Structure formats: C-alpha cells, structure tokens
Amino acid sequence: RILGVTTTPLPGEPCPGLVIVLFDMTELRRLESLRQEFVANVSHELKTPLSSIKAYTETLIRGAKDDPEISQTFLMRIEEQAERLHELIMDLISLASIESGNQVFDIVDIELRPFVEICLVDQQKVAEAKNIELIVEEKEHGIKVKADEEGLHQILGNLINNAIKYTPDQGRITIRWEWDDPNMVLLEVEDTGIGIEEKHQARLFERFFRVDKARSRELGGTGLGLSIVKHLVQSFNGTIGVTSKVGEGTTFTVRLPRG
Ligand code: ADP
C-alpha cells in the first residue's frame, strides 16, 4: 500500500527524483482487528454479569427484599456474578501483565513430584465431588524443570482444573512427566472427558475462545485460562500442544526446559 510519495532530488541527480515508500499494512490491519475483537469481547464479558447484578438489586429494592427466601436467593446470585467479574478481572490483569513482557519471573529449578502434589491439594476436593480419580505418574525420580514457581502453579492449576471441569463424573485424570530430550521435560495432563473436535483445537489458546460458551460460563470459566497458560509456557521457553478425541478425552502436552 502506498503511504507516501516525495519528490526530493536524489543525491547527484540534476532533476527531482521520485521516492515511493511502500508499507505492507496487512499485519497492522490484522492486529487492529484482533484488538477490536478483544475489546468487544471484554466489554461483553463484563456487561453480562453486571447486568444481572443490576437486575437482581433493582428487583430487591422494588420490594423483593421483603420476602426472606427470595432475597436470600437473589443475594446468592449477586455474589456468584460478582465472583465471576472478579475472576475475569484477575485473569485480564494476569494476561495483560504477561503479554506486556514487563512481568518479572524468577526462574528456578523446580522438582516436579512435590510441586505437582501441592497443586493437586487445591483440586482434590472438586475432583472428589465428581468422583474423579487423580493419578500421578513419574517415569523417573527427581525430574526438574526451569520455571517460575507461581507461573508453573498457574499452568498446572489451569490444566488440571479444566480437565476436572470437562470430565464427567467417575472419570480419570493423569498427570505424567518424563525427560523428553537432553534439554526438555515433557509434562502431560490427560483426561477421560468430553474431548474437543479437531476443528476447534487450533483456536483453543486464543483469548475468549470457548467450544461451548454456555457450558464454560456455567462451569465458572472466563475463556482466558488457556491463553494465560500458553503465554506463561512461552515465557519459560517452553511449548504447549493438545491432542483430543470427542467423547474419549484430551491430553495437553507441555514441554519445559529441564532444571
Ligand atoms: P474456560 O475458562 O472456558 O475453561 P479456557 O481458556 O481454560 O477457558 O479453555 C478454553 C476452552 O477450551 C474451554 O471453554 C473448553 O471449551 C475447552 N477446553 C479446555 N480444556 C478442556 C478439556 N480438558 N477438555 C475439553 N475441553 C477443554
């Protein structure tokens, strides 16, 4: 695309030369459209719980507060929606901070076995409630990765939490790791859940992408979890991928530098 044309004389030339400046706007346009889409998504995601909170409070003020049972139900709904807003805002802050490149990570050697066990403590209750079995498989003892502790906790927390969310009752989740090559560790989170159609798999790590919006919302998702996970993994010089079969289950594979 021609952005500017100047007619200054070129050095050593008697008459004015013509300098045409060419820029490829395709990438800029793509980024601008991604930015617009992101702003529209954020606005929509913030508006939905806020509208609910507004509607419940208005109804309470107009008289529903006099009925103790209705007020209790409405107050609980308001709390749920406020919690949703809180999670969304925390995820947005997290994403913005990682994406800006300004977040300082403290990269240290982390031994996976004790670390994964700590992460599982947070998830145990939810898994038990759904009768989901959590299995840890360590191929070799003492395997370490190089990562930031808080970041790795977020990565594992998100992947295991998703595995539990998208696996029906009585399912099984396996967390396993092994040396991949001399420099990397391969870590997998495998579930026996609903699975993801192939056509959706490439978009999973996009901000706000959800296979089933209603289901994700119902389960308390923000649609930002995997995007945060991918950015974190990349910040630690790792990679992430997914394989999945509808109705059989999903495996997220993370490769991180070995510690
Ligand atoms: P959410 O907050 O909606 O869970 P994520 O970014 O964590 O957002 O995940 C994006 C989408 O990927 C989810 O809405 C869901 O459709 C799909 N997904 C993620 N993990 C799994 C999984 N283990 N099994 C099936 N689908 C999954």
Side-chain angles (χ1 to χ4, degrees):
R1 229 153 274 284
I2 298 171
L3 276 194
V5 177
T6 60
T7 54
T8 40
L10 289 174
E13 289 207 3
C15 55
L18 182 67
V19 178
I20 300 174
V21 185
L22 299 168
F23 288 102
D24 184 359
M25 297 288 287
T26 329
E27 182 59 9
L28 285 178
R29 286 244 168 83
R30 196 184 67 84
L31 290 175
E32 178 55 18
S33 122
L34 277 180
R35 194 192 64 80
Q36 280 171 1
E37 194 189 323
F38 179 64
V39 172
N41 273 325
V42 171
S43 317
H44 176 74
E45 295 296 327
L46 291 172
K47 223 172 93 188
T48 317
L50 261 183
S51 305
S52 292
I53 292 176
K54 225 169 138 238
Y56 284 125
T57 31
E58 274 168 16
T59 320
L60 280 170
I61 291 166
R62 288 216 189 93
K65 67 177 182 311
D66 300 329
D67 182 324
E69 217 170 287
I70 295 181
S71 347
Q72 178 64 15
T73 313
F74 280 20
L75 286 171
M76 277 163 62
R77 297 271 149 78
I78 291 173
E79 193 191 21
E80 271 164 29
Q81 297 301 320
E83 181 53 36
R84 202 172 130 195
L85 275 179
H86 179 250
E87 269 177 24
L88 181 64
I89 289 164
M90 295 311 283
D91 274 0
L92 283 169
I93 292 174
S94 197
L95 193 61
S97 146
I98 306 165
E99 279 190 332
S100 71
N102 294 331
Q103 185 160 345
V104 182
F105 293 111
D106 184 15
I107 305 292
V108 290
D109 286 353
I110 303 173
E111 189 175 339
L112 282 173
R113 179 88 207 199
F115 198 85
V116 167
E117 262 153 27
I118 292 170
C119 293
L120 284 178
V121 172
D122 301 341
Q123 315 275 350
Q124 211 93 43
K125 264 204 178 137
V126 202
E128 269 168 25
K130 290 181 77 179
N131 227 337
I132 288 176
E133 194 185 355
L134 296 174
I135 300 166
V136 173
E137 278 179 15
E138 187 184 39
K139 292 256 165 91
E140 222 178 294
H141 191 65
I143 294 184
K144 290 182 188 165
V145 292
K146 276 195 191 310
D148 169 89
E149 290 200 353
E150 207 186 310
L152 185 61
H153 196 98
Q154 237 177 319
I155 293 170
L156 287 169
N158 260 306
L159 294 179
I160 300 169
N161 186 257
N162 273 350
I164 299 174
K165 274 197 308 196
Y166 300 106
T167 296
D169 291 9
Q170 330 289 340
R172 199 177 57 245
I173 291 161
T174 312
I175 301 125
R176 66 169 75 85
W177 58 90
E178 59 183 307
W179 299 123
D180 191 24
D181 65 39
N183 302 317
M184 301 300 269
V185 171
L186 183 146
L187 180 112
E188 285 181 340
V189 178
E190 180 190 82
D191 65 52
T192 55
I194 58 172
I196 304 157
E197 267 182 87
E198 206 176 333
K199 65 173 181 195
H200 294 309
Q201 290 175 18
R203 298 197 59 199
L204 282 188
F205 301 98
E206 285 176 19
R207 299 177 291 193
F208 290 117
F209 178 80
R210 288 174 278 203
V211 174
D212 180 339
K213 278 199 177 168
R215 189 202 292 255
S216 154
R217 285 217 188 95
E218 204 183 289
L219 297 169
T222 61
L224 293 174
L226 284 180
S227 175
I228 293 175
V229 166
K230 185 170 184 185
H231 277 91
L232 283 169
V233 170
Q234 287 175 338
S235 303
F236 306 154
N237 295 319
T239 56
I240 184 164
V242 65
T243 52
S244 185
K245 242 189 172 160
V246 175
E248 286 184 21
T250 303
T251 304
F252 282 92
T253 305
V254 176
R255 281 189 172 76
L256 285 172
R258 100 183 245 177

mmCIF file of all heavy atoms in Angstrom, residues 159-200:
data_model
loop_
_atom_site.group_PDB
_atom_site.id
_atom_site.type_symbol
_atom_site.label_atom_id
_atom_site.label_comp_id
_atom_site.label_asym_id
_atom_site.label_seq_id
_atom_site.Cartn_x
_atom_site.Cartn_y
_atom_site.Cartn_z
ATOM 1 N N LEU A 159 -4.652 -26.287 33.837
ATOM 2 C CA LEU A 159 -4.824 -27.507 33.040
ATOM 3 C C LEU A 159 -5.584 -28.577 33.830
ATOM 4 O O LEU A 159 -6.476 -29.242 33.297
ATOM 5 C CB LEU A 159 -3.466 -28.042 32.566
ATOM 6 C CG LEU A 159 -2.710 -27.167 31.569
ATOM 7 C CD1 LEU A 159 -1.370 -27.794 31.210
ATOM 8 C CD2 LEU A 159 -3.533 -26.934 30.299
ATOM 9 N N ILE A 160 -5.237 -28.723 35.118
ATOM 10 C CA ILE A 160 -5.911 -29.759 35.915
ATOM 11 C C ILE A 160 -7.356 -29.339 36.186
ATOM 12 O O ILE A 160 -8.283 -30.147 36.091
ATOM 13 C CB ILE A 160 -5.143 -30.032 37.239
ATOM 14 C CG1 ILE A 160 -3.713 -30.502 36.931
ATOM 15 C CG2 ILE A 160 -5.863 -31.061 38.098
ATOM 16 C CD1 ILE A 160 -2.779 -30.545 38.120
ATOM 17 N N ASN A 161 -7.542 -28.057 36.457
ATOM 18 C CA ASN A 161 -8.896 -27.563 36.712
ATOM 19 C C ASN A 161 -9.800 -27.750 35.485
ATOM 20 O O ASN A 161 -10.945 -28.191 35.600
ATOM 21 C CB ASN A 161 -8.801 -26.091 37.117
ATOM 22 C CG ASN A 161 -10.137 -25.531 37.531
ATOM 23 O OD1 ASN A 161 -10.762 -24.819 36.769
ATOM 24 N ND2 ASN A 161 -10.583 -25.898 38.713
ATOM 25 N N ASN A 162 -9.252 -27.457 34.294
ATOM 26 C CA ASN A 162 -10.018 -27.681 33.062
ATOM 27 C C ASN A 162 -10.334 -29.165 32.896
ATOM 28 O O ASN A 162 -11.457 -29.532 32.525
ATOM 29 C CB ASN A 162 -9.215 -27.236 31.834
ATOM 30 C CG ASN A 162 -9.413 -25.774 31.519
ATOM 31 O OD1 ASN A 162 -10.288 -25.132 32.087
ATOM 32 N ND2 ASN A 162 -8.596 -25.246 30.641
ATOM 33 N N ALA A 163 -9.321 -29.997 33.148
ATOM 34 C CA ALA A 163 -9.514 -31.445 32.991
ATOM 35 C C ALA A 163 -10.680 -31.901 33.881
ATOM 36 O O ALA A 163 -11.543 -32.672 33.440
ATOM 37 C CB ALA A 163 -8.234 -32.185 33.341
ATOM 38 N N ILE A 164 -10.715 -31.386 35.097
ATOM 39 C CA ILE A 164 -11.811 -31.784 36.008
ATOM 40 C C ILE A 164 -13.152 -31.236 35.492
ATOM 41 O O ILE A 164 -14.153 -31.941 35.452
ATOM 42 C CB ILE A 164 -11.548 -31.289 37.447
ATOM 43 C CG1 ILE A 164 -10.259 -31.911 37.999
ATOM 44 C CG2 ILE A 164 -12.728 -31.581 38.374
ATOM 45 C CD1 ILE A 164 -9.827 -31.395 39.361
ATOM 46 N N LYS A 165 -13.119 -29.943 35.063
ATOM 47 C CA LYS A 165 -14.367 -29.302 34.613
ATOM 48 C C LYS A 165 -14.985 -30.031 33.428
ATOM 49 O O LYS A 165 -16.184 -30.201 33.343
ATOM 50 C CB LYS A 165 -14.072 -27.862 34.157
ATOM 51 C CG LYS A 165 -14.080 -26.861 35.263
ATOM 52 C CD LYS A 165 -14.201 -25.422 34.775
ATOM 53 C CE LYS A 165 -13.244 -24.988 33.740
ATOM 54 N NZ LYS A 165 -13.147 -23.535 33.550
ATOM 55 N N TYR A 166 -14.119 -30.447 32.473
ATOM 56 C CA TYR A 166 -14.646 -31.010 31.239
ATOM 57 C C TYR A 166 -14.624 -32.539 31.212
ATOM 58 O O TYR A 166 -14.613 -33.151 30.151
ATOM 59 C CB TYR A 166 -13.907 -30.405 30.037
ATOM 60 C CG TYR A 166 -14.078 -28.897 29.993
ATOM 61 C CD1 TYR A 166 -13.052 -28.027 30.338
ATOM 62 C CD2 TYR A 166 -15.317 -28.340 29.665
ATOM 63 C CE1 TYR A 166 -13.231 -26.641 30.335
ATOM 64 C CE2 TYR A 166 -15.507 -26.969 29.668
ATOM 65 C CZ TYR A 166 -14.468 -26.121 30.001
ATOM 66 O OH TYR A 166 -14.662 -24.765 30.011
ATOM 67 N N THR A 167 -14.570 -33.141 32.418
ATOM 68 C CA THR A 167 -14.645 -34.604 32.508
ATOM 69 C C THR A 167 -15.873 -34.972 33.335
ATOM 70 O O THR A 167 -16.042 -34.460 34.445
ATOM 71 C CB THR A 167 -13.362 -35.174 33.169
ATOM 72 O OG1 THR A 167 -12.258 -34.872 32.323
ATOM 73 C CG2 THR A 167 -13.444 -36.677 33.370
ATOM 74 N N PRO A 168 -16.712 -35.825 32.804
ATOM 75 C CA PRO A 168 -17.902 -36.217 33.574
ATOM 76 C C PRO A 168 -17.530 -37.011 34.828
ATOM 77 O O PRO A 168 -16.395 -37.507 34.941
ATOM 78 C CB PRO A 168 -18.678 -37.097 32.589
ATOM 79 C CG PRO A 168 -18.070 -36.876 31.261
ATOM 80 C CD PRO A 168 -16.668 -36.425 31.476
ATOM 81 N N ASP A 169 -18.480 -37.179 35.718
ATOM 82 C CA ASP A 169 -18.267 -37.928 36.956
ATOM 83 C C ASP A 169 -17.670 -39.295 36.652
ATOM 84 O O ASP A 169 -17.932 -39.870 35.595
ATOM 85 C CB ASP A 169 -19.612 -38.124 37.676
ATOM 86 C CG ASP A 169 -20.139 -36.797 38.202
ATOM 87 O OD1 ASP A 169 -19.554 -35.749 37.863
ATOM 88 O OD2 ASP A 169 -21.128 -36.794 38.953
ATOM 89 N N GLN A 170 -16.926 -39.810 37.601
ATOM 90 C CA GLN A 170 -16.261 -41.136 37.528
ATOM 91 C C GLN A 170 -15.096 -41.162 36.548
ATOM 92 O O GLN A 170 -14.596 -42.240 36.229
ATOM 93 C CB GLN A 170 -17.199 -42.309 37.122
ATOM 94 C CG GLN A 170 -18.639 -42.232 37.487
ATOM 95 C CD GLN A 170 -18.851 -42.403 38.976
ATOM 96 O OE1 GLN A 170 -18.006 -42.919 39.685
ATOM 97 N NE2 GLN A 170 -19.987 -41.936 39.459
ATOM 98 N N GLY A 171 -14.666 -40.021 36.066
ATOM 99 C CA GLY A 171 -13.578 -40.015 35.088
ATOM 100 C C GLY A 171 -12.207 -40.178 35.732
ATOM 101 O O GLY A 171 -12.096 -40.431 36.948
ATOM 102 N N ARG A 172 -11.166 -40.029 34.884
ATOM 103 C CA ARG A 172 -9.798 -40.214 35.375
ATOM 104 C C ARG A 172 -8.898 -39.136 34.779
ATOM 105 O O ARG A 172 -8.983 -38.832 33.575
ATOM 106 C CB ARG A 172 -9.316 -41.599 34.919
ATOM 107 C CG ARG A 172 -8.135 -42.146 35.690
ATOM 108 C CD ARG A 172 -7.780 -43.550 35.222
ATOM 109 N NE ARG A 172 -7.500 -43.604 33.802
ATOM 110 C CZ ARG A 172 -8.229 -44.254 32.918
ATOM 111 N NH1 ARG A 172 -9.286 -44.943 33.293
ATOM 112 N NH2 ARG A 172 -7.905 -44.229 31.644
ATOM 113 N N ILE A 173 -8.045 -38.570 35.635
ATOM 114 C CA ILE A 173 -7.099 -37.560 35.146
ATOM 115 C C ILE A 173 -5.688 -38.018 35.504
ATOM 116 O O ILE A 173 -5.426 -38.358 36.661
ATOM 117 C CB ILE A 173 -7.407 -36.178 35.750
ATOM 118 C CG1 ILE A 173 -8.725 -35.678 35.152
ATOM 119 C CG2 ILE A 173 -6.290 -35.173 35.486
ATOM 120 C CD1 ILE A 173 -9.376 -34.600 35.921
ATOM 121 N N THR A 174 -4.810 -38.033 34.511
ATOM 122 C CA THR A 174 -3.436 -38.491 34.766
ATOM 123 C C THR A 174 -2.465 -37.355 34.491
ATOM 124 O O THR A 174 -2.527 -36.720 33.433
ATOM 125 C CB THR A 174 -3.088 -39.684 33.838
ATOM 126 O OG1 THR A 174 -4.164 -40.625 33.910
ATOM 127 C CG2 THR A 174 -1.792 -40.349 34.252
ATOM 128 N N ILE A 175 -1.583 -37.130 35.458
ATOM 129 C CA ILE A 175 -0.532 -36.119 35.261
ATOM 130 C C ILE A 175 0.779 -36.903 35.224
ATOM 131 O O ILE A 175 1.107 -37.594 36.188
ATOM 132 C CB ILE A 175 -0.529 -35.094 36.408
ATOM 133 C CG1 ILE A 175 -1.904 -34.409 36.458
ATOM 134 C CG2 ILE A 175 0.552 -34.041 36.236
ATOM 135 C CD1 ILE A 175 -2.545 -34.505 37.763
ATOM 136 N N ARG A 176 1.480 -36.821 34.098
ATOM 137 C CA ARG A 176 2.724 -37.605 33.982
ATOM 138 C C ARG A 176 3.817 -36.747 33.364
ATOM 139 O O ARG A 176 3.536 -35.755 32.675
ATOM 140 C CB ARG A 176 2.492 -38.864 33.148
ATOM 141 C CG ARG A 176 2.172 -38.622 31.711
ATOM 142 C CD ARG A 176 2.227 -39.921 30.924
ATOM 143 N NE ARG A 176 1.054 -40.744 31.187
ATOM 144 C CZ ARG A 176 -0.101 -40.616 30.540
ATOM 145 N NH1 ARG A 176 -0.240 -39.687 29.607
ATOM 146 N NH2 ARG A 176 -1.142 -41.381 30.818
ATOM 147 N N TRP A 177 5.054 -37.110 33.657
ATOM 148 C CA TRP A 177 6.174 -36.361 33.077
ATOM 149 C C TRP A 177 7.374 -37.271 32.888
ATOM 150 O O TRP A 177 7.487 -38.306 33.540
ATOM 151 C CB TRP A 177 6.527 -35.141 33.928
ATOM 152 C CG TRP A 177 6.882 -35.453 35.345
ATOM 153 C CD1 TRP A 177 8.120 -35.733 35.830
ATOM 154 C CD2 TRP A 177 5.980 -35.512 36.456
ATOM 155 N NE1 TRP A 177 8.036 -35.963 37.167
ATOM 156 C CE2 TRP A 177 6.745 -35.833 37.590
ATOM 157 C CE3 TRP A 177 4.598 -35.321 36.606
ATOM 158 C CZ2 TRP A 177 6.190 -35.984 38.855
ATOM 159 C CZ3 TRP A 177 4.045 -35.469 37.862
ATOM 160 C CH2 TRP A 177 4.823 -35.787 38.965
ATOM 161 N N GLU A 178 8.238 -36.863 31.952
ATOM 162 C CA GLU A 178 9.458 -37.635 31.676
ATOM 163 C C GLU A 178 10.459 -36.731 30.962
ATOM 164 O O GLU A 178 10.091 -35.663 30.454
ATOM 165 C CB GLU A 178 9.130 -38.847 30.796
ATOM 166 C CG GLU A 178 8.504 -38.462 29.464
ATOM 167 C CD GLU A 178 8.126 -39.675 28.625
ATOM 168 O OE1 GLU A 178 8.995 -40.531 28.409
ATOM 169 O OE2 GLU A 178 6.963 -39.747 28.185
ATOM 170 N N TRP A 179 11.721 -37.173 30.921
ATOM 171 C CA TRP A 179 12.703 -36.424 30.121
ATOM 172 C C TRP A 179 12.278 -36.574 28.678
ATOM 173 O O TRP A 179 11.956 -37.675 28.240
ATOM 174 C CB TRP A 179 14.113 -37.009 30.267
ATOM 175 C CG TRP A 179 14.690 -36.994 31.639
ATOM 176 C CD1 TRP A 179 15.136 -38.071 32.337
ATOM 177 C CD2 TRP A 179 14.907 -35.857 32.472
ATOM 178 N NE1 TRP A 179 15.609 -37.674 33.558
ATOM 179 C CE2 TRP A 179 15.480 -36.322 33.672
ATOM 180 C CE3 TRP A 179 14.669 -34.486 32.337
ATOM 181 C CZ2 TRP A 179 15.818 -35.484 34.725
ATOM 182 C CZ3 TRP A 179 14.999 -33.646 33.377
ATOM 183 C CH2 TRP A 179 15.566 -34.133 34.552
ATOM 184 N N ASP A 180 12.325 -35.471 27.903
ATOM 185 C CA ASP A 180 11.917 -35.537 26.505
ATOM 186 C C ASP A 180 13.146 -35.703 25.619
ATOM 187 O O ASP A 180 13.254 -36.603 24.818
ATOM 188 C CB ASP A 180 11.159 -34.264 26.148
ATOM 189 C CG ASP A 180 10.492 -34.368 24.813
ATOM 190 O OD1 ASP A 180 10.217 -35.495 24.378
ATOM 191 O OD2 ASP A 180 10.245 -33.329 24.187
ATOM 192 N N ASP A 181 14.079 -34.780 25.764
ATOM 193 C CA ASP A 181 15.373 -34.906 25.107
ATOM 194 C C ASP A 181 16.351 -34.360 26.142
ATOM 195 O O ASP A 181 15.942 -34.038 27.242
ATOM 196 C CB ASP A 181 15.366 -34.141 23.758
ATOM 197 C CG ASP A 181 15.207 -32.647 23.934
ATOM 198 O OD1 ASP A 181 15.789 -32.082 24.868
ATOM 199 O OD2 ASP A 181 14.493 -32.034 23.127
ATOM 200 N N PRO A 182 17.627 -34.262 25.819
ATOM 201 C CA PRO A 182 18.564 -33.867 26.881
ATOM 202 C C PRO A 182 18.215 -32.531 27.538
ATOM 203 O O PRO A 182 18.576 -32.278 28.684
ATOM 204 C CB PRO A 182 19.910 -33.780 26.154
ATOM 205 C CG PRO A 182 19.758 -34.605 24.942
ATOM 206 C CD PRO A 182 18.309 -34.591 24.578
ATOM 207 N N ASN A 183 17.460 -31.673 26.811
ATOM 208 C CA ASN A 183 17.227 -30.331 27.364
ATOM 209 C C ASN A 183 15.814 -30.058 27.842
ATOM 210 O O ASN A 183 15.549 -29.003 28.406
ATOM 211 C CB ASN A 183 17.555 -29.268 26.298
ATOM 212 C CG ASN A 183 18.968 -29.395 25.828
ATOM 213 O OD1 ASN A 183 19.862 -29.597 26.645
ATOM 214 N ND2 ASN A 183 19.170 -29.339 24.522
ATOM 215 N N MET A 184 14.888 -30.956 27.544
ATOM 216 C CA MET A 184 13.486 -30.639 27.844
ATOM 217 C C MET A 184 12.813 -31.724 28.681
ATOM 218 O O MET A 184 13.222 -32.878 28.669
ATOM 219 C CB MET A 184 12.680 -30.467 26.546
ATOM 220 C CG MET A 184 13.145 -29.406 25.600
ATOM 221 S SD MET A 184 13.153 -27.746 26.262
ATOM 222 C CE MET A 184 11.532 -27.169 25.825
ATOM 223 N N VAL A 185 11.752 -31.288 29.368
ATOM 224 C CA VAL A 185 10.910 -32.228 30.113
ATOM 225 C C VAL A 185 9.528 -32.182 29.483
ATOM 226 O O VAL A 185 9.027 -31.098 29.149
ATOM 227 C CB VAL A 185 10.825 -31.810 31.603
ATOM 228 C CG1 VAL A 185 9.790 -32.644 32.343
ATOM 229 C CG2 VAL A 185 12.184 -31.922 32.275
ATOM 230 N N LEU A 186 8.921 -33.352 29.314
ATOM 231 C CA LEU A 186 7.587 -33.408 28.729
ATOM 232 C C LEU A 186 6.577 -33.715 29.839
ATOM 233 O O LEU A 186 6.746 -34.688 30.573
ATOM 234 C CB LEU A 186 7.585 -34.509 27.682
ATOM 235 C CG LEU A 186 6.330 -34.735 26.877
ATOM 236 C CD1 LEU A 186 6.745 -35.168 25.482
ATOM 237 C CD2 LEU A 186 5.455 -35.799 27.481
ATOM 238 N N LEU A 187 5.588 -32.846 29.959
ATOM 239 C CA LEU A 187 4.608 -32.999 31.032
ATOM 240 C C LEU A 187 3.210 -33.074 30.412
ATOM 241 O O LEU A 187 2.868 -32.235 29.579
ATOM 242 C CB LEU A 187 4.721 -31.762 31.922
ATOM 243 C CG LEU A 187 3.793 -31.696 33.101
ATOM 244 C CD1 LEU A 187 4.618 -31.826 34.368
ATOM 245 C CD2 LEU A 187 3.066 -30.381 33.149
ATOM 246 N N GLU A 188 2.465 -34.094 30.792
ATOM 247 C CA GLU A 188 1.136 -34.262 30.185
ATOM 248 C C GLU A 188 0.036 -34.232 31.232
ATOM 249 O O GLU A 188 0.202 -34.778 32.330
ATOM 250 C CB GLU A 188 1.063 -35.599 29.455
ATOM 251 C CG GLU A 188 1.810 -35.593 28.140
ATOM 252 C CD GLU A 188 1.707 -36.934 27.429
ATOM 253 O OE1 GLU A 188 1.398 -37.951 28.063
ATOM 254 O OE2 GLU A 188 1.956 -36.940 26.216
ATOM 255 N N VAL A 189 -1.082 -33.601 30.858
ATOM 256 C CA VAL A 189 -2.288 -33.676 31.686
ATOM 257 C C VAL A 189 -3.348 -34.315 30.794
ATOM 258 O O VAL A 189 -3.789 -33.720 29.809
ATOM 259 C CB VAL A 189 -2.742 -32.283 32.177
ATOM 260 C CG1 VAL A 189 -4.030 -32.384 32.988
ATOM 261 C CG2 VAL A 189 -1.651 -31.621 33.010
ATOM 262 N N GLU A 190 -3.714 -35.550 31.150
ATOM 263 C CA GLU A 190 -4.626 -36.324 30.292
ATOM 264 C C GLU A 190 -5.942 -36.549 31.027
ATOM 265 O O GLU A 190 -5.928 -36.860 32.223
ATOM 266 C CB GLU A 190 -3.959 -37.664 29.987
ATOM 267 C CG GLU A 190 -4.766 -38.586 29.113
ATOM 268 C CD GLU A 190 -4.140 -39.976 29.072
ATOM 269 O OE1 GLU A 190 -4.396 -40.747 30.005
ATOM 270 O OE2 GLU A 190 -3.390 -40.270 28.130
ATOM 271 N N ASP A 191 -7.054 -36.371 30.310
ATOM 272 C CA ASP A 191 -8.337 -36.659 30.963
ATOM 273 C C ASP A 191 -9.178 -37.599 30.119
ATOM 274 O O ASP A 191 -8.867 -37.844 28.950
ATOM 275 C CB ASP A 191 -9.097 -35.353 31.284
ATOM 276 C CG ASP A 191 -9.506 -34.582 30.037
ATOM 277 O OD1 ASP A 191 -10.133 -35.175 29.150
ATOM 278 O OD2 ASP A 191 -9.204 -33.368 29.958
ATOM 279 N N THR A 192 -10.227 -38.117 30.754
ATOM 280 C CA THR A 192 -11.131 -39.008 30.022
ATOM 281 C C THR A 192 -12.460 -38.277 29.788
ATOM 282 O O THR A 192 -13.532 -38.846 29.911
ATOM 283 C CB THR A 192 -11.394 -40.296 30.832
ATOM 284 O OG1 THR A 192 -11.889 -39.901 32.130
ATOM 285 C CG2 THR A 192 -10.150 -41.121 31.014
ATOM 286 N N GLY A 193 -12.330 -36.981 29.473
ATOM 287 C CA GLY A 193 -13.507 -36.114 29.407
ATOM 288 C C GLY A 193 -14.206 -36.041 28.063
ATOM 289 O O GLY A 193 -14.072 -36.941 27.224
ATOM 290 N N ILE A 194 -14.880 -34.907 27.847
ATOM 291 C CA ILE A 194 -15.764 -34.764 26.683
ATOM 292 C C ILE A 194 -15.004 -34.655 25.357
ATOM 293 O O ILE A 194 -15.560 -34.886 24.305
ATOM 294 C CB ILE A 194 -16.705 -33.549 26.839
ATOM 295 C CG1 ILE A 194 -15.894 -32.261 27.036
ATOM 296 C CG2 ILE A 194 -17.668 -33.751 27.988
ATOM 297 C CD1 ILE A 194 -16.746 -31.000 27.003
ATOM 298 N N GLY A 195 -13.711 -34.255 25.449
ATOM 299 C CA GLY A 195 -12.915 -34.117 24.231
ATOM 300 C C GLY A 195 -13.224 -32.841 23.464
ATOM 301 O O GLY A 195 -14.176 -32.115 23.784
ATOM 302 N N ILE A 196 -12.401 -32.572 22.449
ATOM 303 C CA ILE A 196 -12.545 -31.330 21.671
ATOM 304 C C ILE A 196 -12.457 -31.688 20.189
ATOM 305 O O ILE A 196 -11.493 -32.335 19.759
ATOM 306 C CB ILE A 196 -11.399 -30.345 22.009
ATOM 307 C CG1 ILE A 196 -11.364 -30.057 23.513
ATOM 308 C CG2 ILE A 196 -11.517 -29.046 21.229
ATOM 309 C CD1 ILE A 196 -10.029 -29.591 24.029
ATOM 310 N N GLU A 197 -13.432 -31.254 19.414
ATOM 311 C CA GLU A 197 -13.427 -31.525 17.968
ATOM 312 C C GLU A 197 -12.164 -30.953 17.331
ATOM 313 O O GLU A 197 -11.702 -29.873 17.742
ATOM 314 C CB GLU A 197 -14.629 -30.830 17.322
ATOM 315 C CG GLU A 197 -15.850 -31.693 17.206
ATOM 316 C CD GLU A 197 -16.952 -30.912 16.520
ATOM 317 O OE1 GLU A 197 -17.005 -30.923 15.278
ATOM 318 O OE2 GLU A 197 -17.735 -30.265 17.241
ATOM 319 N N GLU A 198 -11.668 -31.634 16.307
ATOM 320 C CA GLU A 198 -10.403 -31.225 15.701
ATOM 321 C C GLU A 198 -10.455 -29.786 15.194
ATOM 322 O O GLU A 198 -9.501 -29.032 15.341
ATOM 323 C CB GLU A 198 -10.065 -32.185 14.568
ATOM 324 C CG GLU A 198 -8.565 -32.217 14.347
ATOM 325 C CD GLU A 198 -8.151 -33.226 13.309
ATOM 326 O OE1 GLU A 198 -8.885 -34.214 13.139
ATOM 327 O OE2 GLU A 198 -7.111 -32.989 12.677
ATOM 328 N N LYS A 199 -11.600 -29.399 14.622
ATOM 329 C CA LYS A 199 -11.681 -28.057 14.026
ATOM 330 C C LYS A 199 -11.506 -26.947 15.079
ATOM 331 O O LYS A 199 -11.191 -25.819 14.754
ATOM 332 C CB LYS A 199 -13.004 -27.885 13.270
ATOM 333 C CG LYS A 199 -14.225 -27.919 14.145
ATOM 334 C CD LYS A 199 -15.488 -27.584 13.357
ATOM 335 C CE LYS A 199 -16.677 -27.621 14.288
ATOM 336 N NZ LYS A 199 -17.953 -27.656 13.718
ATOM 337 N N HIS A 200 -11.740 -27.265 16.362
ATOM 338 C CA HIS A 200 -11.597 -26.243 17.415
ATOM 339 C C HIS A 200 -10.210 -26.225 18.034
ATOM 340 O O HIS A 200 -9.855 -25.262 18.722
ATOM 341 C CB HIS A 200 -12.601 -26.502 18.546
ATOM 342 C CG HIS A 200 -14.023 -26.343 18.134
ATOM 343 N ND1 HIS A 200 -14.479 -25.225 17.490
ATOM 344 C CD2 HIS A 200 -15.094 -27.158 18.291
ATOM 345 C CE1 HIS A 200 -15.768 -25.373 17.243
ATOM 346 N NE2 HIS A 200 -16.168 -26.537 17.714
#
